Structure formats: structure tokens, C-alpha cells
Amino acid sequence: GATLQRALETFIRPDEALIADLGSTFTDDVSVWSPNLSVHGHAELIEALAFRLDSFSDVDLVIDALDLFGSKGLAEFRVSANFSGAFVLDEDVVIEPNGRALLLGAAAVAEFDGSRIRAIRAYFDDATLLEQMLAE
């Protein structure tokens, strides 16, 4: 459970220490998918997380449920944050901050290889998130 919680914190509140320590949480060939992210391996994950370092402030992660079964884990969680920095979807699409508070409910499924995550998929309503990010 602690590994899945650390993974969520890495995605939701990335910082240089968590990014530098990816190897303790994720396998080298980790596969990560969400409605606005698809990466394979540490290098792509580091690049994706670097874009998000300054996008949000006052980030709060609340894990409502976390269950482990066999080599899988499931977490339901809520995230609140202020949209305070540019959000880069890719090199051609950047959403400028509006300073508003954002609220997002989500779920994540992780597949483990021993004590590390080899794949993780997050599910959330990206249309609602974008609506909040684009509101004036």
C-alpha cells in the first residue's frame, strides 16, 4: 500500500526528490496511462513529471480507499490544487493558469512486480478537469 501511495504522490505532487527516486517505486520499464498521459519507462516518466512541477500549488491528496489483491492495487482518491502555472499537455498544447482552485476525483489501478509498480492506470473525468482549468 505504501508503494501505491508514494506513486500517487509522485504523480500528484511531483518534486525533485520523488523524481530522483523513481527506481524504488517503479520498474525500469513502467507503463503509465491516464486520460492526459501515456508514458513507458523512467525517461519518459521523468520528462512528463518535469512539465508538471510548477503547474499546481497548494496540492492536497486524499486517499479515500486503497486495496491490494494479489499483484494488483486499487486506490480511490481526491485531489485539490490551485492552477498556478502553465500546464503542458505536449510541445504544442499549453494551458495557461487561471489561478482557480481545482477539484478532481479519480481511481488508479497498479500492477506490481515484486515491491515495485510495473504498470499504473489512472481514471478520471478529464473533461471536468479541463473545464476547471479553462474557466475564467
Side-chain angles (χ1 to χ4, degrees):
T3 300
L4 181 50
Q5 183 171 343
R6 190 170 51 251
L8 294 175
E9 290 171 355
T10 300
F11 296 125
I12 304 303
R13 289 189 296 240
D15 65 33
E16 292 183 19
L18 287 170
I19 292 172
D21 194 31
L22 288 179
S24 70
T25 306
F26 305 99
T27 61
D28 293 341
D29 61 345
V30 65
S31 172
V32 179
W33 177 90
S34 78
N36 60 15
L37 179 68
S38 180
V39 299
H40 300 283
H42 282 189
E44 288 183 20
L45 182 54
I46 290 169
E47 183 178 332
L49 292 173
F51 279 121
R52 295 163 191 239
L53 280 172
D54 300 320
S55 297
F56 307 105
S57 59
D58 300 320
V59 179
D60 188 38
L61 168 66
V62 176
I63 297 176
D64 297 310
L66 194 151
D67 296 298
L68 302 174
F69 45 97
S71 63
K72 291 191 178 184
L74 171 67
E76 293 178 284
F77 57 97
R78 290 171 284 141
V79 178
S80 61
N82 290 325
F83 184 25
S84 55
F87 184 80
V88 179
L89 287 170
D90 62 38
E91 293 176 5
D92 299 323
V93 180
V94 177
I95 301 173
E96 295 300 328
N98 60 12
R100 290 182 168 253
L102 307 176
L103 181 60
L104 177 69
V109 177
E111 297 176 22
F112 289 86
D113 182 359
S115 63
R116 297 186 301 160
I117 295 172
R118 81 167 161 247
I120 189 166
R121 296 171 301 282
Y123 300 91
F124 58 86
D125 182 358
D126 61 334
T128 297
L129 178 61
L130 286 173
E131 182 179 299
Q132 293 176 69
M133 293 172 83
L134 296 172
E136 294 192 28

